Amino acid sequence: MIHFQQAQDHHLADLVALLADDPLGSAREDPSVPLDPGYVEAFDAITADTNQLLVVALLDQTVVGTLHLSFIPGLALMGAWRGQIESVRIRRDHRDAGLGQAMIEWALERCREKGCRIVQLTSDKSRAEAHRFYERLGFEATHEGYKLRL
Amino acid sequence: MIHFQQAQDHHLADLVALLADDPLGSAREDPSVPLDPGYVEAFDAITADTNQLLVVALLDQTVVGTLHLSFIPGLALMGAWRGQIESVRIRRDHRDAGLGQAMIEWALERCREKGCRIVQLTSDKSRAEAHRFYERLGFEATHEGYKLRL
């Protein structure tokens, strides 16, 4: 039985492992345990902020997916709240089973509850399969996504 | 003399006017005064959140530019904070004077102070001039920017 909820401390190592098990993530994450303190500090910052929702997908208590949802107030669009989705991952052995779609739809429902009028995300241009996935769900690639490393 | 600071209540009508004086914004904003309560509620939500910085560029106390900077914690990239820039506008009669560059550089400095390791923004694909501007500043369009209206 799939269940989505806010991540708890004891999910953190599994979440980092999910982020690392990815063509792009493998070069920039370190899933070794004990976890780098940067992950623990980030987890604490996320869970302390009521506008951040770190989501975990659980299949019989096993972590099989994650995404990070941020609620962002803004003046634009007549003062619309935005939902923003980052760091979407489904465990390698649980893909193509509708789990990703169910997780995004669960996140969209949280956005509706919060009163968001727009939801946004960016996806690396190399992730062609992800793009088809988001387009099937109704997202439109209307924008260029710019990044700058400091 | 140009000065950048957090926006105050008395700047709000000028900020909304800036958002509306734009090829895309003109269709989705309403700068009429008294302002729609949606703008006032959004302003209050932004200023109540220490991870949101609504920036105003002032030239001798006149509003000539704005952007909205959000600081977002995240697990990805070893637990990196992200700076995110939205709703960048320079008043029509003050463009091409280096003001936009100075405002973005001021925002990047705030991101460095906060310890952000990445800064991101999205820009509508129709805004070719804006894309050249961000690329000159070192941003790379590595991502597709997806939006979904709820």
Side-chain angles (χ1 to χ4, degrees):
Chain A
M1 180 67 181
I2 286 286
H3 171 71
F4 304 106
Q5 65 170 66
Q6 182 166 19
Q8 308 292 311
D9 289 54
H10 63 277
H11 299 131
L12 181 55
D14 287 342
L15 294 178
V16 174
L18 266 185
L19 294 180
D21 184 23
D22 174 82
L24 299 173
S26 61
R28 55 197 191 197
E29 308 298 345
D30 175 5
S32 61
V33 176
L35 289 171
D36 186 281
Y39 291 119
V40 179
E41 287 165 23
F43 183 86
D44 291 345
I46 294 167
T47 51
D49 181 343
T50 56
N51 285 328
Q52 309 298 327
L53 182 59
L54 184 63
V55 177
V56 61
L58 297 171
L59 180 64
D60 303 329
Q61 305 309 312
T62 300
V63 173
V64 292
T66 183
L67 65 75
H68 177 175
L69 178 58
S70 301
F71 300 117
I72 305 173
L75 288 186
L77 300 169
M78 308 283 294
W81 281 84
R82 288 167 197 254
Q84 179 162 296
I85 295 172
E86 291 267 3
S87 301
V88 180
R89 295 288 188 285
I90 297 292
R91 214 173 84 172
R92 196 177 287 275
D93 53 353
H94 285 78
R95 291 187 193 152
D96 307 317
L99 174 56
Q101 179 171 343
M103 186 170 68
I104 296 286
E105 286 173 350
W106 188 88
L108 295 181
E109 201 48 43
R110 301 290 79 69
C111 292
R112 286 189 191 93
E113 281 178 0
K114 179 72 181 178
C116 296
R117 293 209 300 278
I118 187 166
V119 181
Q120 59 190 27
L121 61 88
T122 68
S123 180
D124 192 283
K125 288 186 177 177
S126 69
R127 298 192 193 271
E129 196 175 343
H131 301 171
R132 287 190 293 273
F133 169 74
Y134 292 122
E135 285 159 16
R136 277 199 307 273
L137 291 170
F139 285 86
E140 286 185 79
T142 53
H143 285 60
E144 290 289 343
Y146 282 95
K147 309 277 174 177
L148 174 71
R149 296 292 183 101
L150 292 183
Chain B
M1 179 65 180
I2 286 288
H3 170 72
F4 304 106
Q5 66 169 67
Q6 182 165 20
Q8 308 292 312
D9 289 54
H10 64 276
H11 299 132
L12 182 55
D14 287 341
L15 293 178
V16 175
L18 266 184
L19 294 180
D21 183 22
D22 173 84
L24 299 173
S26 61
R28 56 196 190 198
E29 309 298 346
D30 175 5
S32 62
V33 176
L35 289 171
D36 186 281
Y39 291 118
V40 179
E41 287 164 23
F43 183 86
D44 291 345
I46 295 167
T47 51
D49 181 343
T50 56
N51 285 328
Q52 309 298 327
L53 182 59
L54 184 62
V55 177
V56 61
L58 297 172
L59 179 65
D60 303 330
Q61 305 308 314
T62 300
V63 173
V64 293
T66 184
L67 64 76
H68 177 175
L69 179 58
S70 301
F71 300 116
I72 305 174
L75 287 186
L77 300 169
M78 308 283 294
W81 281 84
R82 289 167 197 253
Q84 179 163 297
I85 295 172
E86 290 267 4
S87 301
V88 179
R89 295 289 188 284
I90 297 291
R91 214 174 82 172
R92 196 177 286 276
D93 53 353
H94 285 77
R95 290 186 194 152
D96 308 316
L99 173 57
Q101 178 170 343
M103 186 171 67
I104 296 288
E105 286 173 350
W106 188 88
L108 295 181
E109 200 49 42
R110 301 291 79 69
C111 292
R112 286 189 191 94
E113 281 178 1
K114 178 74 180 176
C116 297
R117 294 209 299 278
I118 187 166
V119 181
Q120 60 190 26
L121 61 89
T122 68
S123 180
D124 192 282
K125 288 186 177 178
S126 69
R127 298 192 193 270
E129 196 175 346
H131 300 171
R132 287 190 293 272
F133 169 74
Y134 292 122
E135 286 159 15
R136 277 200 306 274
L137 291 170
F139 285 86
E140 287 185 80
T142 53
H143 285 59
E144 290 289 343
Y146 283 95
K147 311 275 173 177
L148 174 70
R149 295 293 183 102
L150 293 183

